[in-house]
Coordinates of all heavy atoms in Angstrom, one line a residue:
S2 N 10.8 -0.5 2.4 CA 10.0 -0.5 3.6 C 8.5 -0.7 3.4 O 7.8 -1.1 4.3 CB 10.2 0.8 4.3 OG 9.8 1.9 3.5
V3 N 8.0 -0.6 2.1 CA 6.6 -0.7 1.9 C 6.3 -1.8 0.8 O 5.1 -2.0 0.6 CB 6.0 0.6 1.4 CG1 6.3 1.7 2.4 CG2 6.4 1.0 0.0
K4 N 7.3 -2.4 0.3 CA 7.1 -3.4 -0.7 C 6.2 -4.6 -0.2 O 6.4 -5.0 1.0 CB 8.4 -4.0 -1.2 CG 9.1 -3.1 -2.2 CD 10.4 -3.8 -2.6 CE 11.2 -2.9 -3.6 NZ 12.5 -3.5 -4.0
G5 N 5.2 -5.0 -0.9 CA 4.3 -6.0 -0.5 C 3.2 -5.5 0.3 O 2.2 -6.3 0.5
R6 N 3.2 -4.3 0.7 CA 2.1 -3.8 1.6 C 1.4 -2.6 0.9 O 0.2 -2.4 1.1 CB 2.7 -3.3 2.9 CG 3.3 -4.4 3.7 CD 3.7 -3.9 5.1 NE 4.6 -2.8 5.1 CZ 4.4 -1.6 5.6 NH1 3.2 -1.3 6.1 NH2 5.3 -0.6 5.5
F7 N 2.1 -1.8 0.1 CA 1.5 -0.7 -0.6 C 1.4 -0.9 -2.1 O 2.2 -1.6 -2.7 CB 2.4 0.6 -0.4 CG 2.4 1.2 1.0 CD1 1.9 0.5 2.1 CD2 3.0 2.4 1.2 CE1 2.0 1.0 3.4 CE2 3.0 3.0 2.5 CZ 2.5 2.3 3.6
T8 N 0.3 -0.4 -2.7 CA 0.1 -0.5 -4.1 C -0.2 0.9 -4.7 O -1.2 1.5 -4.2 CB -1.0 -1.5 -4.4 OG1 -0.6 -2.8 -3.9 CG2 -1.1 -1.6 -5.9
I9 N 0.5 1.3 -5.7 CA 0.2 2.6 -6.3 C -0.6 2.2 -7.6 O -0.2 1.3 -8.3 CB 1.4 3.4 -6.6 CG1 1.1 4.8 -7.1 CG2 2.4 2.7 -7.5 CD1 2.3 5.8 -7.1
S10 N -1.6 3.0 -8.0 CA -2.4 2.8 -9.2 C -3.0 4.1 -9.7 O -3.0 5.1 -9.0 CB -3.5 1.7 -8.9 OG -4.4 2.2 -7.9
R11 N -3.4 4.0 -10.9 CA -4.1 5.2 -11.6 C -5.5 4.9 -11.8 O -5.9 3.7 -12.1 CB -3.4 5.5 -12.9 CG -2.0 5.9 -12.9 CD -1.6 6.4 -14.3 NE -1.2 7.8 -14.3 CZ 0.1 8.1 -14.2 NH1 1.1 7.2 -14.2 NH2 0.4 9.4 -14.2
D12 N -6.3 5.9 -11.7 CA -7.7 5.8 -12.2 C -7.7 5.7 -13.7 O -7.0 6.6 -14.3 CB -8.5 7.0 -11.7 CG -10.0 6.8 -12.0 OD1 -10.4 6.8 -13.2 OD2 -10.8 6.7 -11.0
P13 N -8.4 4.8 -14.3 CA -8.3 4.6 -15.8 C -8.9 5.8 -16.5 O -8.6 5.9 -17.7 CB -9.0 3.3 -16.0 CG -10.0 3.1 -14.9 CD -9.2 3.7 -13.7
A14 N -9.8 6.6 -15.9 CA -10.5 7.6 -16.6 C -10.3 9.0 -16.0 O -10.8 10.0 -16.6 CB -12.0 7.3 -16.6
K15 N -9.6 9.1 -14.9 CA -9.4 10.4 -14.2 C -7.9 10.7 -13.9 O -7.2 9.7 -13.8 CB -10.3 10.5 -13.0 CG -11.8 10.3 -13.2 CD -12.5 10.4 -11.9 CE -14.0 10.2 -12.1 NZ -14.8 10.2 -10.9
T16 N -7.6 11.9 -13.6 CA -6.2 12.3 -13.2 C -6.1 12.1 -11.7 O -5.9 13.1 -11.0 CB -5.9 13.7 -13.7 OG1 -6.9 14.6 -13.2 CG2 -5.8 13.8 -15.2
I17 N -6.3 10.9 -11.3 CA -6.2 10.5 -9.9 C -5.2 9.3 -9.7 O -5.3 8.4 -10.5 CB -7.5 10.2 -9.3 CG1 -8.5 11.4 -9.4 CG2 -7.4 9.8 -7.8 CD1 -9.9 11.1 -8.9
V18 N -4.4 9.4 -8.7 CA -3.5 8.3 -8.4 C -3.7 7.9 -7.0 O -3.9 8.8 -6.1 CB -2.0 8.7 -8.6 CG1 -1.1 7.6 -8.1 CG2 -1.7 9.0 -10.1
Y19 N -3.7 6.6 -6.7 CA -4.1 6.1 -5.4 C -2.8 5.4 -4.8 O -1.9 4.9 -5.5 CB -5.2 5.0 -5.5 CG -6.5 5.6 -6.1 CD1 -6.8 5.4 -7.4 CD2 -7.4 6.3 -5.3 CE1 -8.0 5.9 -8.0 CE2 -8.5 6.8 -5.8 CZ -8.8 6.6 -7.1 OH -10.0 7.1 -7.7
L20 N -2.8 5.4 -3.5 CA -1.9 4.6 -2.8 C -2.6 3.7 -1.8 O -3.1 4.2 -0.8 CB -0.8 5.5 -2.1 CG 0.3 4.7 -1.3 CD1 1.2 4.0 -2.4 CD2 1.1 5.6 -0.5
Q21 N -2.8 2.5 -2.1 CA -3.4 1.5 -1.2 C -2.4 1.0 -0.2 O -1.4 0.5 -0.6 CB -4.1 0.4 -2.0 CG -4.8 -0.6 -1.1 CD -5.4 -1.8 -1.8 OE1 -5.5 -1.7 -3.1 NE2 -5.8 -2.8 -1.1
M22 N -2.7 1.2 1.1 CA -1.7 0.8 2.1 C -2.4 -0.3 3.0 O -3.4 0.0 3.6 CB -1.3 2.0 3.0 CG -0.8 3.2 2.1 SD -0.3 4.6 3.2 CE -1.9 5.1 3.9
N23 N -1.7 -1.4 3.0 CA -2.2 -2.5 3.8 C -1.2 -2.9 4.9 O 0.0 -2.6 4.8 CB -2.5 -3.8 2.9 CG -3.5 -3.5 1.9 OD1 -4.5 -2.9 2.1 ND2 -3.3 -4.1 0.7
N24 N -1.7 -3.6 5.9 CA -0.8 -4.0 7.0 C 0.1 -2.9 7.5 O 1.3 -3.0 7.6 CB 0.1 -5.2 6.5 CG 0.8 -5.9 7.7 OD1 0.4 -5.8 8.8 ND2 1.9 -6.5 7.4
L25 N -0.6 -1.8 7.9 CA 0.1 -0.6 8.3 C 0.9 -0.8 9.6 O 0.4 -1.5 10.5 CB -0.8 0.5 8.4 CG -1.2 1.1 7.0 CD1 -2.5 2.0 7.2 CD2 -0.1 2.0 6.5
H26 N 2.0 -0.3 9.7 CA 2.9 -0.3 10.9 C 2.9 1.1 11.6 O 2.7 2.1 10.9 CB 4.3 -0.7 10.6 CG 4.4 -2.0 9.8 ND1 5.5 -2.3 9.1 CD2 3.6 -3.0 9.7 CE1 5.4 -3.5 8.5 NE2 4.2 -4.0 8.9
P27 N 3.2 1.1 12.9 CA 3.4 2.4 13.5 C 4.5 3.3 12.8 O 4.4 4.5 12.7 CB 3.8 2.1 14.9 CG 3.1 0.8 15.2 CD 3.2 0.0 13.9
A28 N 5.5 2.6 12.2 CA 6.5 3.3 11.5 C 6.0 4.0 10.2 O 6.7 4.8 9.6 CB 7.7 2.3 11.2
D29 N 4.8 3.6 9.8 CA 4.2 4.2 8.6 C 3.6 5.6 8.9 O 3.2 6.3 8.0 CB 3.2 3.3 8.0 CG 3.8 2.1 7.4 OD1 4.9 2.1 6.8 OD2 3.1 1.0 7.6
T30 N 3.6 5.9 10.2 CA 3.0 7.2 10.6 C 3.8 8.3 10.0 O 5.0 8.4 10.2 CB 3.0 7.3 12.1 OG1 2.1 6.3 12.7 CG2 2.5 8.7 12.6
A31 N 3.2 9.2 9.3 CA 3.9 10.3 8.6 C 2.8 11.1 7.9 O 1.7 10.8 7.8 CB 4.9 9.7 7.6
V32 N 3.3 12.3 7.4 CA 2.5 13.0 6.4 C 2.9 12.5 5.0 O 4.0 12.5 4.7 CB 2.8 14.5 6.5 CG1 2.0 15.3 5.5 CG2 2.4 15.0 7.9
Y33 N 1.9 12.2 4.3 CA 2.1 11.7 2.9 C 1.8 12.7 1.9 O 0.7 13.4 1.9 CB 1.2 10.4 2.7 CG 1.7 9.2 3.4 CD1 1.6 9.1 4.8 CD2 2.3 8.2 2.7 CE1 2.1 8.0 5.4 CE2 2.7 7.0 3.3 CZ 2.6 7.0 4.7 OH 3.1 5.8 5.4
Y34 N 2.7 12.9 0.9 CA 2.6 13.9 -0.1 C 2.6 13.3 -1.5 O 3.3 12.3 -1.7 CB 3.8 14.9 0.0 CG 3.9 15.6 1.3 CD1 4.7 15.1 2.3 CD2 3.4 16.9 1.4 CE1 4.8 15.8 3.5 CE2 3.5 17.6 2.6 CZ 4.3 17.0 3.6 OH 4.4 17.7 4.8
C35 N 1.8 13.8 -2.4 CA 2.0 13.4 -3.8 C 2.9 14.4 -4.5 O 3.0 15.6 -4.1 CB 0.7 13.3 -4.5 SG -0.4 14.7 -4.5
N36 N 3.6 13.9 -5.5 CA 4.7 14.7 -6.1 C 4.6 14.5 -7.6 O 4.5 13.4 -8.1 CB 6.0 14.2 -5.6 CG 7.2 14.7 -6.5 OD1 7.5 14.0 -7.5 ND2 7.9 15.7 -6.2
L37 N 4.6 15.6 -8.4 CA 4.6 15.6 -9.8 C 5.9 16.3 -10.3 O 6.1 17.5 -10.0 CB 3.4 16.2 -10.4 CG 3.1 16.0 -11.9 CD1 1.6 16.2 -12.2 CD2 3.9 16.9 -12.8
P38 N 6.8 15.6 -10.9 CA 8.1 16.2 -11.2 C 8.0 17.3 -12.4 O 7.2 17.2 -13.3 CB 8.9 15.0 -11.7 CG 8.0 14.1 -12.2 CD 6.7 14.2 -11.4
T39 N 8.9 18.2 -12.3 CA 9.1 19.2 -13.3 C 10.2 18.9 -14.2 O 10.4 19.6 -15.3 CB 9.3 20.6 -12.7 OG1 10.5 20.6 -12.0 CG2 8.1 21.0 -11.9
G40 N 11.0 17.9 -13.8 CA 12.2 17.5 -14.6 C 13.5 18.2 -14.2 O 14.5 18.0 -14.8

């Protein structure tokens, strides 16, 4: 649903991850959460 519109990336020097969202649709309306797995 987000291929070609969203891009995930890391800051090269910090513990920060970004989600660039382009061409947003009304269907993209949501609460967005980041997740770090425990395994």
Side-chain angles (χ1 to χ4, degrees):
S2 58
V3 306
K4 284 181 180 177
R6 300 189 297 119
F7 290 13
T8 302
I9 189 168
S10 62
R11 297 189 121 96
D12 187 294
K15 300 179 181 179
T16 55
I17 300 175
V18 175
Y19 301 98
L20 184 68
Q21 181 180 347
M22 306 183 295
N23 298 321
N24 191 24
L25 285 161
H26 305 161
D29 295 318
T30 296
V32 178
Y33 285 71
Y34 301 88
C35 55
N36 163 278
L37 194 157
T39 61

